[in-house]
Amino acid sequence: MDISDQPSRRQRQIRHCAWCGRRVPEAGRQGRPRLYCAQSCRQRAYERRTAVQRGGLPEDAVVLSAAELADLQDRLFQLRCAAEDVVTAVDDTADHGELRKLAAQVVDVAVELERLR
C-alpha cells in the first residue's frame, strides 16, 4: 500500500466539541483543529472560563444553573426508576423479552444522562 493511500492522522481522528460533546464537522482547512462545533459552544465555553476566573473557583469546577441542575436531577430520577423496574421484573420472574426491553430503557436513559449540557 502506498503511503499516499492512507488517510492522514488528522483526517482519521474524529473530534468532539469541547463544550457539548457533539462531533465537530470536518473543516478541510489547515491550521489548528477546531475545538467547538459551533460559535455558540465557543461562546458558552468562554463565558464559563470567565465566570470561573471571576468567582475564584478551581479550574476544573463544573458550574450549572438552577435549571440545569433540576434537569440533571430529573434525569437521574428517571435512571433510578428504570433500574428499579428491572429489579421488579427480575423479582417477578419476567420473561427474557421483557427484561431485554427494560434493560434497553435503562441504557436509553443512561445515554441521555451522559448529556450534561
Side-chain angles (χ1 to χ4, degrees), residues 10-117:
R10 187 173 175 191
Q11 289 173 337
R12 287 182 293 174
Q13 185 180 16
I14 296 174
R15 301 189 65 80
H16 295 277
C17 180
W19 180 254
C20 70
R22 290 188 204 118
R23 187 173 176 180
V24 175
E26 294 286 328
R29 59 185 174 153
Q30 293 186 5
R32 289 186 297 167
R34 291 176 57 178
L35 295 177
Y36 305 102
C37 64
Q39 179 62 32
S40 59
C41 287
R42 183 176 171 186
Q43 181 65 30
R44 297 296 88 73
Y46 167 77
E47 290 169 358
R48 181 191 175 279
R49 284 192 310 273
T50 56
V52 166
Q53 290 170 352
R54 281 192 313 263
L57 297 172
E59 187 61 35
D60 62 348
V62 176
V63 179
L64 296 174
S65 69
E68 290 170 325
L69 178 59
D71 180 57
L72 180 59
Q73 289 171 326
D74 287 346
R75 290 185 281 143
L76 282 167
F77 178 73
Q78 290 172 355
L79 180 62
R80 182 174 60 89
C81 290
E84 287 174 350
D85 288 347
V86 172
V87 171
T88 301
V90 168
D91 290 344
D92 293 344
T93 62
D95 66 6
H96 180 76
E98 181 67 19
L99 290 174
R100 178 172 267 301
K101 178 181 155 191
L102 291 171
Q105 288 175 344
V106 171
V107 171
D108 291 343
V109 171
V111 166
E112 180 62 23
L113 183 57
E114 287 178 326
R115 181 188 56 82
L116 290 178
R117 296 182 179 100

